[in-house]
Amino acid sequence: MPRALDGDEWAGVDVSCRRGNDHDPSWFAGLDARCEDVDLVIVGAGISGCVFAERASRELGLRSLVVDKRDHIGGNCYDFINAKGFRVSQYGVHLFHTKHARVWEYVNRFSAWMAYEHRVKAAIEREDGEYEHGGKRYRVVPVPPNRDTINALYPEANLTSDEDARAWLDARRTKNDEPKNGEESALTRAGPELYEAIFKYYTKKQWDKYPEELDASVLARIPVRENTDDRYFSDEHQALPRDGYTRIFENMIMGDPNILVRLNVDFFENKDVLQKMARKFVVFTGPIDAYYASQGLPKLEYRSLRFFEEYHEGAGDEDTKNDEPFFYQPCLQLNYPGPEVEHTRIVEYKHKPNQPRAAREHRGTVIFREYSCDHGEPYYPVPNPANRELYEKYREMASKEPGVVFVGRLASYKYFNMDQAFLNALEIFDDVMDVPKEGERSNSATAPKFTDLGEPDGPK
Ligand SMILES: O=c1ccn([C@@H]2O[C@H](COP(=O)(O)OP(=O)(O)O[C@H]3O[C@@H]([C@H](O)CO)[C@H](O)[C@H]3O)[C@@H](O)[C@H]2O)c(=O)[nH]1
């Protein structure tokens, strides 16, 4: 079975030098006297922290101090233009999608957006596969699995209609109205062949757990389709921010006299002073178990990610037929669900249309192999009964914590997508600040159309 890389195997991989943004110099000034006159102290400059700061200022005229231990804003959505001119994400690929009109309207205040539907493929090892990678041959198929996936992997199925696909799947699916775990969730929708080919080992690589050790909701993120829809998401709004994700956060909190930002500030090293600075309360968006580290409870489980970056250039005319730009792989995100390699996926950002023109026309390309591990920055809560039970103990303490509001993926220990993180922060803000609820607001009918776009550029 593949194992997560650790220790010296990561030596030489330096992601810290891959920064590209020039932030306001005052953001690095430390906790000076200007930080004392604030209503909210917000810990974390990601989605939840920036929503709170932005709303507190523009809705209520309140002053916030936003601190982050990292040297940039945007949390795990942070992206930047790298030394070769490609817009890349420091913490892995992010794709915005939402069915929530409120979220769509909100994010459109801070960015122009380009319509973009994410299409993921999976490389499944097959001796007669058409795609060669790392000395192995693969068949490249759509994920989520659909009718085309079944036909490509099992040509004898020869499915020509949605009804054919339904019959093929029905003959294999386990009947189960209430799947109790990820394995049951996948088997009841996909049957054993697709489960083995697409879900079982990818899940083991990503979580270091087999699907049966995870909540059904984890595998239920990926639908199984009888038609040939090959979009990863089916939400109404699917788009890329024209100038990258970091620009959204800059537009939310930069240049607002009510919002002070201080980077390279560790909350826990300055906890007493920061808690005293907040006239109203602290908004904590970090891991909830880190906040209560001294309480003697076991730590919650998280998964982190590691990225191996490679730059590739085409060999010449053979690889760049008709002057077409050179790509390493056929799509932005190519999953490797099998046990034959340790990485879960390879991401090639050049496929994203919000690349600056020079990147789109570049003769080279940059790819990131993604590996999951249990140490490093926490990215994913691990949804299963044991962690849920432990989280409840933390939540109980948090509900009684005076002067602190816990918000976001890590503080709520929830596997939120980006839009869910926005919505959750907006709703908690309304709740704690007693702002009128959605429905009493006037914005839900005004979801904007895509903006008329110029050329994408890099973060300011
Ligand atoms: O080929 C696959 C794919 C997935 N699984 C299993 O499903 C779990 C959830 O997958 P996914 O939702 O793709 O996981 P993740 O959150 O890492 O990535 C998605 O989110 C976007 C983006 O980050 C959102 O903004 C990204 O592009 C998406 O891929 C997975 O953990 C597996 O257990 C599988 O088995 N096989």
Side-chain angles (χ1 to χ4, degrees):
M1 221 8 251
R3 61 191 173 79
L5 301 188
D6 54 11
D8 289 342
E9 288 171 292
W10 294 108
V13 181
D14 182 6
V15 293
S16 63
C17 63
R18 298 189 292 116
R19 297 194 59 243
N21 290 356
D22 297 320
H23 291 313
D24 181 337
S26 74
W27 290 6
F28 298 91
L31 297 173
D32 55 23
R34 281 173 294 175
C35 304
E36 283 167 23
D37 180 26
V38 293
D39 299 294
L40 307 183
V41 167
I42 297 173
V43 184
I47 292 175
S48 306
C50 289
V51 166
F52 256 77
E54 189 278 333
R55 291 288 70 217
S57 171
R58 290 175 201 161
E59 182 97 30
L60 302 173
L62 298 178
R63 264 172 82 75
S64 297
L65 166 65
V66 182
V67 296
D68 201 299
K69 66 178 181 180
R70 292 172 171 170
D71 61 359
H72 60 76
I73 62 168
N76 283 357
C77 300
Y78 175 68
D79 58 9
F80 62 94
I81 306 294
N82 76 2
K84 294 210 185 291
F86 295 98
R87 188 191 312 285
V88 297
S89 290
Q90 179 138 337
Y91 306 96
V93 65
H94 283 71
L95 280 309
F96 182 84
H97 56 102
T98 190
K99 60 180 189 230
H100 301 291
R102 181 176 184 192
V103 175
W104 181 233
E105 187 279 329
Y106 183 73
V107 298
N108 269 269
R109 296 179 197 176
F110 310 107
S111 176
W113 292 78
M114 310 170 83
Y116 180 74
E117 291 180 324
H118 191 34
R119 287 183 163 76
V120 174
K121 296 203 183 300
I124 311 286
E125 195 180 18
R126 288 283 187 273
E127 273 176 16
D128 61 348
E130 71 287 357
Y131 184 67
E132 194 275 334
H133 188 258
K136 301 180 196 308
R137 302 211 71 83
Y138 294 92
R139 182 131 301 152
V140 174
V141 300
V143 169
N146 66 11
R147 175 143 57 88
D148 290 334
T149 310
I150 300 170
N151 277 330
L153 292 178
Y154 315 105
E156 65 285 1
N158 191 24
L159 311 176
T160 57
S161 66
D162 296 1
E163 290 69 34
D164 279 1
R166 188 168 314 136
W168 190 91
L169 286 162
D170 281 346
R172 289 159 173 81
R173 290 162 161 155
T174 319
K175 207 164 163 24
N176 186 344
D177 292 336
E178 275 184 48
K180 286 190 292 300
N181 58 48
E183 179 175 324
E184 290 183 6
S185 160
L187 285 174
T188 194
R189 294 175 301 115
E193 292 101 325
L194 289 174
Y195 173 68
E196 287 275 329
I198 288 174
F199 295 109
K200 183 174 176 180
Y201 300 104
Y202 186 103
T203 299
K204 174 66 172 145
K205 291 193 285 188
Q206 169 67 19
W207 302 95
D208 196 23
K209 292 185 192 318
Y210 284 105
E212 66 181 322
E213 302 168 86
L214 293 164
D215 282 355
S217 60
V218 177
L219 282 279
R221 289 170 62 87
I222 313 301
V224 175
R225 298 191 178 122
E226 291 154 8
N227 59 21
T228 53
D229 182 355
D230 62 349
R231 296 171 308 155
Y232 206 64
F233 309 115
S234 47
D235 288 339
E236 183 184 354
H237 309 292
Q238 308 188 28
L240 295 175
R242 185 191 65 183
D243 302 319
Y245 290 106
T246 304
R247 179 64 62 82
I248 298 173
F249 300 97
E250 289 173 346
N251 288 340
M252 288 171 82
I253 64 173
M254 237 173 153
D256 184 329
N258 281 332
I259 302 174
L260 288 171
V261 180
R262 291 293 181 270
L263 300 175
N264 292 336
V265 172
D266 187 315
F267 171 70
F268 296 110
E269 286 170 12
N270 300 277
K271 193 171 173 191
D272 290 344
V273 103
L274 283 166
Q275 283 188 318
K276 279 193 202 114
M277 283 173 171
R279 276 200 298 255
K280 288 189 181 297
F281 53 82
V282 171
V283 178
F284 183 79
T285 73
I288 192 166
D289 56 340
Y291 189 90
Y292 290 112
S294 61
Q295 300 297 306
L297 281 176
K299 284 184 175 170
L300 286 161
E301 246 182 309
Y302 298 93
R303 294 302 287 172
S304 190
L305 297 175
R306 295 285 185 162
F307 307 97
F308 273 130
E309 180 174 357
E310 289 169 24
Y311 174 73
H312 292 269
E313 267 179 16
D317 287 347
E318 273 180 29
D319 288 31
T320 55
K321 293 187 184 71
N322 307 323
D323 284 337
E324 281 174 15
F326 171 69
F327 287 101
Y328 178 85
Q329 64 182 28
C331 50
L332 166 64
Q333 180 181 330
L334 186 57
N335 288 2
Y336 286 83
E340 71 287 346
V341 290
E342 295 181 4
H343 52 269
T344 51
R345 51 196 183 191
I346 296 182
V347 172
E348 183 177 19
Y349 288 101
K350 190 175 179 182
H351 284 281
K352 273 192 168 184
N354 68 344
Q355 290 291 348
R357 180 188 290 276
R360 280 182 273 136
E361 293 172 356
H362 202 289
R363 62 196 295 257
T365 188
V366 63
I367 62 153
F368 293 82
R369 268 171 226 264
E370 197 168 310
Y371 298 81
S372 167
C373 55
D374 63 4
H375 55 279
E377 292 283 315
Y379 284 58
Y380 297 87
V382 182
N384 69 13
N387 287 318
R388 203 168 36 256
E389 194 182 315
L390 179 55
Y391 166 69
E392 275 308 310
K393 296 185 178 147
Y394 283 108
R395 200 188 57 77
E396 184 67 25
M397 285 195 280
S399 69
K400 295 181 188 135
E401 186 74 34
V404 184
V405 178
F406 294 82
V407 194
R409 181 161 162 150
L410 299 175
S412 341
Y413 203 66
K414 296 248 161 38
Y415 188 176
F416 285 145
N417 290 328
M418 265 186 289
D419 67 321
Q420 294 167 323
F422 273 105
L423 187 62
N424 179 252
L426 288 165
E427 290 185 345
I428 293 181
F429 178 85
D430 290 352
D431 211 31
V432 295
M433 296 301 198
D434 214 11
V435 173
K437 299 264 177 303
E438 203 170 352
E440 297 162 39
R441 311 176 72 93
S442 59
N443 66 16
S444 55
T446 57
K449 306 230 176 317
F450 289 106
T451 317
D452 184 22
L453 300 169
E455 277 297 304
D457 62 8
K460 279 189 274 216

